[in-house]
Amino acid sequence: MSLYSFGLDPVSCHAWNKDRTQIAISPNNTEVHIYQKSGKEWTKIHELTQHSGRITGIDWAPISNRIVTCASDRNAYVWTLKDRVWKPTLVLLRINRAATCVKWSPLENKFALGSGARIISVCYFEKENDWWLSKHIKKPIRSTVLSLDWHPNNILLAAGSSDFQCRVFSGYIKDIEEKPGPTAWGSKMPFGEMLLEQGDDGGWVHSVCFSPSGNSLAWVSHSSTILVTDAANKKTVTQLKTEYLPLLAVLYLNETEIVAAGHDCCPYQFSYTGPGSLKYIGKIDLPKQNSKVNMSAMQHFRNLDKRATTENENTDLETLHQNSISQLCIVEGDRSKVTKFSSVGLDGDMVIWDFKH
Amino acid sequence: MSKATTNVDFRKVDVDQYEEEKYEDDAVVDDGVTGPNDAEVQALIAKGRLADALQTVLSTPPIASKNPAVKDKAAQVVMKVLTAFKAADIDGAIKNLDQNKLDVLMKYIYRGFEMSSEGNGAQLLVWHDKVFAVTGLGSIVRVLTDRRRV
């Protein structure tokens, strides 16, 4: 478990490069900062400043080493490293509202972008004209798309939206890939086809994540619930109402273990073993050291003078993060067996957590 | 510029009605549940079977009803049950409720806070405290986010 503080500003989003020696973060403004690991410290090596609106999503494709960023200025850029400088290429999104989230597909030949225009843009590179084009998924999304995740087969796309629904669409682009075979989610998958629409009692869907095999889909909602849909079992939905504040990010650690984190500032572990059995396992956090030091009479008096109390009131939270966790990312291990994952939060800290299976 | 600067009527125009793709909330379908049977519940209270009365009112909340009068009446019945409890019995009654009923109970407790009436406040706060000890912050968040209002 290691913590690194990137300053006082919240970290809105982060992405790792392939060997996890570099991290791209945005300190809640219009810039993306890339840090290089040097021992225990991180040093800033690049600043990407093309956007004019607050950065809302960053994703770093490990194999092709390209970064895609999206912001509230309704634009997205794909950055490629040329001569040790990151050069941006504008993506033609054709949206009229802010972009909210972006994700490279597993094969990195396309990426999906959610926006406040109630549209998902699936963007791919067109060689003839040397630009990035986008195809839109509009129906039946009725409000801002808050989160996206790709299925391992590179075709299906899960989207969580603030119209309280979690949906699975087909992102199949026939210009760049072959027709997909049938999956547990469905067999006919033309572009934009909706294969699942599942709602909650009324919470915005903050985050979605496919399991490593792609057969189940977990999502967290603002109504403090975590839900899992199982395609292998007739798409039955299992719901767990938690007693915590709403969760904002969810991640599968292996086929059955799920970690989720949010406004309670610490990651929680859940386990899904089949329809009807979604259980809360426990917190993943360092127990706070008990800081009861024997206070001298002088300190007692000082406390009484300053704060009208003799107690040693520590106002820090008991968790490692001191503010909500906004995003979780895999650091070590592949999707089917994650041994380390990272969390960033509104306190400006990045924590790398270890997980034993 | 000097003309009509005091006219602020434009602020009262509802611009959302002109939005073509306005979000219509159609999730809740009226399934005809009209709330607990008043007479039956009164009988249970009179007999002192308060835990049973609580189970009855929490299993038939008129959540889907579009008629505000139905909801008001049901809320009144629930208030009667909640105020009839003695503080010591509340724990026992809560133990027998499942997660869904606890969420509905929390919704009614907040409804009770809304319909502020004399003397109810203290009893409702005791209820709130006990339910919160079992269900935590999650149930309060669900009261705020759930579109099926009680």
Side-chain angles (χ1 to χ4, degrees):
Chain A
M1 212 152 311
S2 64
L3 179 147
Y4 184 75
S5 176
F6 281 106
L8 291 173
D9 295 314
V11 177
S12 356
C13 38
H14 72 306
W16 295 92
N17 71 341
K18 182 169 184 195
D19 51 9
R20 305 329 194 202
T21 52
Q22 293 184 14
I23 184 173
I25 64 151
S26 173
N28 206 35
N29 60 13
T30 62
E31 298 172 358
V32 176
H33 297 168
I34 300 186
Y35 286 79
Q36 168 89 38
K37 188 166 186 157
S38 41
K40 280 218 157 90
E41 294 297 312
W42 293 85
T43 38
K44 198 193 304 189
I45 51 171
H46 291 118
E47 266 188 32
L48 279 49
T49 55
Q50 195 73 13
H51 280 287
S52 56
R54 190 182 70 91
I55 307 274
T56 48
I58 307 176
D59 202 15
W60 199 325
I63 302 167
S64 50
N65 205 34
R66 289 178 295 193
I67 301 179
V68 62
T69 57
C70 71
S72 60
D73 59 359
R74 316 186 300 277
N75 283 337
Y77 289 96
V78 174
W79 303 79
T80 30
L81 192 62
K82 285 197 180 77
D83 303 321
R84 303 205 291 175
V85 175
W86 288 97
K87 293 256 173 348
T89 317
L90 180 64
V91 179
L92 287 131
L93 289 173
R94 302 175 287 127
I95 55 177
N96 58 3
R97 291 288 187 280
T100 51
C101 49
V102 68
K103 266 270 167 81
W104 281 107
S105 71
L107 293 179
E108 297 167 22
N109 50 1
K110 54 187 176 176
F111 62 86
L113 180 139
S115 67
R118 310 175 240 229
I119 290 174
I120 300 176
S121 295
V122 181
C123 306
Y124 60 101
F125 191 66
E126 204 194 21
K127 278 223 165 55
E128 298 95 67
N129 297 351
D130 196 33
W131 60 13
W132 287 85
L133 281 185
S134 69
K135 290 188 97 164
H136 286 170
I137 302 177
K138 274 191 103 150
K139 291 197 186 323
I141 306 173
R142 296 163 72 203
S143 188
T144 306
V145 177
L146 294 172
S147 59
L148 293 167
D149 192 35
W150 285 95
H151 187 285
N153 74 357
N154 208 54
I155 302 291
L156 298 176
L157 183 60
S161 163
S162 62
D163 60 0
F164 324 120
Q165 311 289 332
C166 171
R167 300 185 175 89
V168 175
F169 290 101
S170 159
Y172 165 62
I173 304 213
K174 66 179 196 299
D175 299 332
I176 55 166
E177 53 202 355
E178 292 154 16
K179 214 160 180 231
T183 67
W185 295 96
S187 38
K188 277 204 174 296
M189 292 179 274
F191 180 78
E193 177 82 5
M194 187 173 73
L195 301 155
L196 171 82
E197 183 183 50
Q198 194 63 48
D200 180 43
D201 304 331
W204 308 311
V205 180
H206 283 297
S207 181
V208 294
C209 190
F210 271 110
S211 68
S213 65
N215 283 336
S216 48
L217 173 66
W219 75 95
V220 281
S221 151
H222 198 72
S223 58
S224 297
T225 45
I226 174 168
L227 302 98
V228 181
T229 310
D230 200 339
N233 283 305
K234 299 200 195 67
K235 299 191 190 167
T236 40
V237 180
T238 314
Q239 185 189 54
L240 176 63
K241 297 190 182 186
T242 69
E243 43 184 65
Y244 312 110
L245 291 178
L247 299 160
L248 294 173
V250 70
L251 190 65
Y252 262 94
L253 298 173
N254 62 24
E255 192 65 31
T256 54
E257 306 305 303
I258 303 171
V259 66
H263 289 295
D264 266 327
C265 319
C266 92
Y268 293 111
Q269 185 188 345
F270 297 90
S271 175
Y272 176 74
T273 43
S277 87
L278 178 57
K279 285 194 203 44
Y280 166 66
I281 306 287
K283 275 194 202 182
I284 303 178
D285 203 335
L286 263 183
K288 200 65 180 262
Q289 306 302 334
N290 201 348
S291 55
K292 262 198 154 63
V293 188
N294 281 329
M295 279 207 290
S296 66
M298 185 60 191
Q299 281 197 307
H300 266 282
F301 177 74
R302 209 181 280 143
N303 274 340
L304 197 57
D305 187 32
K306 265 201 212 163
R307 288 181 279 174
T309 168
T310 47
E311 284 165 26
N312 183 16
E313 288 254 343
N314 194 1
T315 51
D316 288 344
L317 288 182
E318 294 206 345
T319 53
L320 213 51
H321 272 284
Q322 294 298 305
N323 209 326
S324 314
I325 295 176
S326 52
Q327 197 181 19
L328 294 170
C329 216
I330 300 177
V331 173
E332 207 176 86
D334 58 57
R335 275 189 86 138
S336 52
K337 195 166 176 198
V338 178
T339 45
K340 286 199 181 153
F341 62 94
S342 62
S343 63
V344 287
L346 303 184
D347 49 1
D349 294 342
M350 185 264 300
V351 179
I352 299 185
W353 306 88
D354 304 302
F355 183 74
K356 288 194 190 46
H357 291 262
Chain B
M1 184 58 204
S2 57
K3 245 203 301 192
T5 46
T6 53
N7 186 355
V8 290
D9 282 346
F10 69 91
R11 295 187 187 278
K12 300 199 182 96
V13 174
D14 177 20
V15 288
D16 285 336
Q17 69 188 234
Y18 303 114
E19 163 89 46
E20 297 140 355
E21 292 177 37
K22 194 169 133 157
Y23 178 78
E24 296 287 340
D25 195 9
D26 54 8
V28 186
V29 176
D30 195 342
D31 58 0
V33 174
T34 50
N37 186 336
D38 197 11
E40 187 188 323
V41 175
Q42 289 281 53
L44 284 171
I45 299 181
K47 282 198 215 134
R49 288 167 49 189
L50 295 171
D52 293 331
L54 188 64
Q55 292 274 1
T56 321
V57 295
L58 291 181
S59 39
T60 52
I63 281 179
S65 168
K66 301 231 189 324
N67 185 351
V70 168
K71 295 196 179 185
D72 287 340
K73 195 164 95 45
Q76 301 282 8
V77 175
V78 177
M79 285 306 116
K80 272 195 226 139
V81 175
L82 293 184
T83 46
F85 266 85
K86 281 201 274 297
D89 303 331
I90 294 182
D91 273 322
I94 290 183
K95 262 208 256 298
N96 292 330
L97 295 174
D98 66 2
Q99 181 70 57
N100 288 332
K101 292 217 174 71
L102 282 168
D103 281 346
V104 176
L105 177 56
M106 198 49 128
K107 283 187 201 169
Y108 272 117
I109 291 174
Y110 276 94
R111 188 71 150 77
F113 287 142
E114 264 180 74
M115 319 183 309
S116 62
S117 43
E118 1 52 44
N120 261 358
Q123 179 77 325
L124 278 177
L125 281 173
V126 175
W127 273 100
H128 186 278
D129 196 31
K130 306 264 184 216
V131 178
F132 176 73
V134 176
T135 57
L137 291 162
S139 65
I140 301 182
V141 174
R142 278 185 284 281
V143 170
L144 296 171
T145 57
D146 201 333
R147 301 186 75 71
R148 300 170 309 181
R149 307 204 57 202
V150 86

